[in-house]
Amino acid sequence: QVQLVESGGGLVQAGGSLRLSCAASGSIFSGNVMGWLRQAPGKQRELVATRSPDGSTNYADSVKGRFTVSRDNGKTTVYLQMNNLKTEDTGVYYCAAGKIFGTWIYWGQGTQVTVSS
């Protein structure tokens, strides 16, 4: 059974940085698309960034130039480097992996990111 575990969330001031990690129980990231999603209070969950197996990445317009997705060489951990954080980046961040018919298959439990002004 695949497990995804996020870590690295916390409280940071606007303009600061955080790096989120998503550790997988196996090499799930090597052959599957993975994504970072977030859900702000009272809002729908939104896609923040994706990383495809070929290494290509995509970002939501709201985070382009500030967030970066990367993966370790062991292919079991992916990261979301978040720089120049804004208060609107506050939310619970989830990593997900694998998609079928447009639906994410595997989910982490989420990690809270709070950006204060």
Side-chain angles (χ1 to χ4, degrees), residues 3-109:
Q3 287 188 316
L4 303 177
V5 179
E6 301 101 332
S7 61
L11 174 64
V12 64
Q13 286 190 325
S17 298
L18 283 174
R19 188 177 78 158
L20 305 183
S21 300
C22 176
S25 56
S27 301
I28 186 66
F29 299 132
S30 62
N32 290 280
V33 63
M34 72 79 52
W36 285 98
L37 301 94
R38 68 186 179 190
Q39 187 164 20
K43 295 188 177 181
Q44 288 189 329
R45 192 173 297 176
E46 63 173 342
L47 183 63
V48 174
T50 61
R51 186 188 186 283
S52 297
D54 64 1
S56 60
T57 56
N58 283 286
Y59 300 92
D61 288 343
S62 59
V63 307
K64 279 181 182 176
R66 301 188 297 121
F67 290 12
T68 304
V69 178
S70 63
R71 189 185 70 185
D72 72 337
N73 290 332
K75 303 178 181 178
T76 59
T77 303
V78 292
Y79 305 97
L80 183 68
Q81 178 67 43
M82 306 186 294
N83 297 328
N84 190 22
L85 283 160
K86 304 177 181 181
T87 55
E88 52 263 42
D89 294 320
T90 293
V92 179
Y93 283 70
Y94 300 89
C95 71
K99 294 187 84 173
I100 183 167
F101 303 121
T103 301
W104 293 98
I105 302 172
Y106 304 107
W107 287 88
Q109 83 287 355

